[in-house]
Structures are given as structure tokens and as C-alpha cells.
Amino acid sequence: MPHRTFLKFMWPSLLVMFLLIALPIASVAVQSLYVEHEQVVLETENCGPFGCKKTVTVDTEATEKRRIEEPLGRFNGMGTYTNRNHLAFDELSQAWNDIDSSGSFLGKMMNLPFYKALVFTLAYTFIVTPLVIVLGMVVALCVNALPKLVKGPTIFFSLLPMIVTPLIGSLILFWMIDADGVIGATLQRWFDDDGLSLKASPTLTWITIFIYGIWHSIPFSFIVFYAGLQTVPTDTLEASMIDGASRWETIRYVVIPHMAPLVTFVALMQLMDNFRVFEPIVGFASEAHATSLSWLIYNDLRGADSQLFGSAAATSMLTIVGVAILLTPVFIRTWRGFNRKSA
């Protein structure tokens, strides 16, 4: 296709991508270099018969005037990225110099908010994503083998977790695992321990959130893989059966290679979705045990006194970098496969 014709077809999409993707990212990147203005403080001294007393008040008019004159805030450069709430270079360096064991260094690192959120985000992403792909494929294969009479109702009920709003679903499970809930009360009776609580243990909290993430995301991978199974050539399946291939061999050497592009698609979608995990943390009220990068952004923007736009912007940029790093191997593999087929 000639370049001019190609541009005529592409310019509306490129314009929308620039306005809705590139421009907001650039705006966030600029905002991350600034921090909020400090309040203008007035110190007055009142003297009376019993001595003088100093009082400190905030000059709201001067503070508001400064904010109007410099709406972006005070320029801080890369200081926001390196402070304690983000990459914390100084704190990590001090912890490394005072190191007496690897465990102590990791413990100090996990006390830093950004690294605590990063570890949970990566653990959630790398545990939930592969399990969602594998279990979604298993469910799709099982449903595809069912009789037509029960296949429709099974597909309907299998999609129910995806219909439930993530925040509502996590709240429902949160109430179920409560001591007075169905799951929580049952576990206490089974183990004969009235003090047993899934909410009190950080490890159990992580596991519960992982289980919820798998339960909520499996329907998406299932329906994608089920649709892909309908496109597997019947002739190829029949040929494998005639050659004496078992069901497992047919799945391994015929079905899975045919589904490889869909596996890549589901992996891309799940990596992006899981890396920005947010709703389960709010629903489970697990901020004490588990936080994510998206939750840090939310926490900065809901400040009681003032919203920390610069801090939220810096965390957003670090999240974007993290997503790009996660997706790079998948993109490289896809690009190589495309070039191999073109050759």
C-alpha cells in the first residue's frame, strides 16, 4: 500500500492514540517532576501581662496565590522518584551498609512502601497469570467435550465470575471469610480454633487475594480459548486419531500449537490487568498486609489534607515502565514469530 494511502487510513487512529494515550502519559511525566507547594506560615508573637507567646498560623491567601501562580507546583526534578516513598535510594544504601544478613536487608526493603507494593504486585502477576491461562485452557477443553445439551448452561454459569464487578466480588468474599461469614465460621469449626482468621495473617491474605484473582479472571481466558477450539481443523483432529494419537497427544501436538496466538493474547491482557491490581485490595481492606502500585496511586490522590499529585504521577510512571518491561519479552517473541512466518 502506498505511504500516502496508508496515512489516510491511519491518521484518525493515530490522532486518537495521541490525544488519549500519548498526551496523558506526557502530562503525567511532567507532573511527576513537581511537588505540591508548601503552605505559607505566619509566626506572630503576642505579649501580655504574663509574658509573650508565639503562635503559628497558615496564610491561606498567600498559599492559594502561590498555587495559582504555579499550578504545577514546585519543581523537584527526579527527587520524587528517589525519595522514601518511591525508589528510596538513600534508604536502600543505608540498609545495605548496615547489612548483617540477606534477611535483614529484605526486611528493611519490605518496610519501604514502594517495594512492599512492588513485591506484592509482581507476586500477584506471576502467580495469577499462568494459573489463569492453564486453568482457562483446562476449563475450555472440558466444556468443549460436553454434550450439546448441557454445554450452553455450563458456559453461562462459567462466565458468572466475569460478570460480577471486581470490587463487589471482593467485598462478598471478604464478608464470607469473616469470622461470622460462611467460610470463616466453617474453618473455625473444622480446626476447632475460635481465633482463626484469614484476615489476620499476611500470608493468608495474599493467598486469598490470589485465589480471588484467579476465580475472577478464568472466565475471560476460558471464553477466548473455547472460541479458539471451534477453529481447530476437524481434518487434523481426525488424522491424529487415525494415526493412533491419544487425547493428551492430540491436545499437546495439535490443539495447543493451534491456540498459541490466543495464548499470547491472553497472556498480554492478563499481564497488563494483573499488574494494576487494585479492587481486591480495597475490597479486602488489606492495606496493612498487601498493597499494590495502583493502590499507592489511589492513596496519594485521596489524601485528607491535600492530594499528592506529584507522588501519584511518579508512581504512575514507574507502573508504566514496569508494564513495558513485562510485555517486552512477549512482544519480542511475537515479532520473531511474525518474521519467521513472513520469511
Side-chain angles (χ1 to χ4, degrees), residues 2 4 14 49 58-59 129 169-171 283 307 341:
R4 183 174 297 179
L14 295 175
V58 177
D59 190 339
T129 300
S170 59
L171 282 172
Q307 290 75 29
K341 291 180 180 179

Side-chain angles (χ1 to χ4, degrees), residues 22 66 80 83 126 210 268 314 338:
R66 178 182 293 181
T80 306
N83 65 13
F126 288 113
F210 293 164
L268 285 172
F338 176 78

Side-chain angles (χ1 to χ4, degrees), residues 148-302:
K148 292 184 178 181
L149 184 63
V150 298
K151 188 176 293 186
T154 304
I155 293 175
F156 172 77
F157 287 109
S158 299
L159 295 178
L160 287 179
M162 189 171 62
I163 298 175
V164 179
T165 305
L167 182 58
I168 301 301
S170 59
L171 282 172
I172 292 173
L173 183 58
F174 179 75
W175 294 328
M176 291 175 67
I177 66 175
D178 188 77
D180 297 326
V182 175
I183 299 177
T186 301
L187 290 177
Q188 289 182 354
R189 179 170 298 181
W190 281 356
F191 292 96
D192 193 21
D193 184 0
D194 294 336
L196 180 63
S197 174
L198 294 176
K199 302 176 182 178
S201 170
T203 302
L204 293 178
T205 300
W206 282 37
I207 293 175
T208 305
I209 295 177
F210 293 164
I211 292 174
Y212 171 78
I214 295 169
W215 173 81
H216 185 267
S217 299
I218 280 180
F220 171 76
S221 62
F222 152 66
I223 200 63
V224 172
F225 292 145
Y226 179 78
L229 288 175
Q230 311 313 306
T231 65
V232 178
T234 307
D235 296 341
T236 307
L237 293 176
E238 292 177 351
S240 64
M241 294 174 62
I242 293 173
D243 291 338
S246 63
R247 179 172 176 78
W248 165 244
E249 290 173 338
T250 301
I251 293 173
R252 179 180 179 183
Y253 296 107
V254 177
V255 176
I256 293 180
H258 180 80
M259 303 281 285
L262 290 180
V263 172
T264 302
F265 168 74
V266 173
L268 285 172
M269 298 300 295
Q270 287 299 309
L271 283 173
M272 290 187 291
D273 194 45
N274 293 333
F275 196 79
R276 52 187 178 84
V277 54
F278 171 70
E279 291 90 346
I281 296 174
V282 176
F284 284 107
S286 61
E287 295 87 350
H289 302 312
T291 57
S292 67
L293 297 180
S294 296
W295 185 88
L296 290 182
I297 299 171
Y298 165 76
N299 190 55
D300 286 336
L301 295 178
R302 67 162 187 170

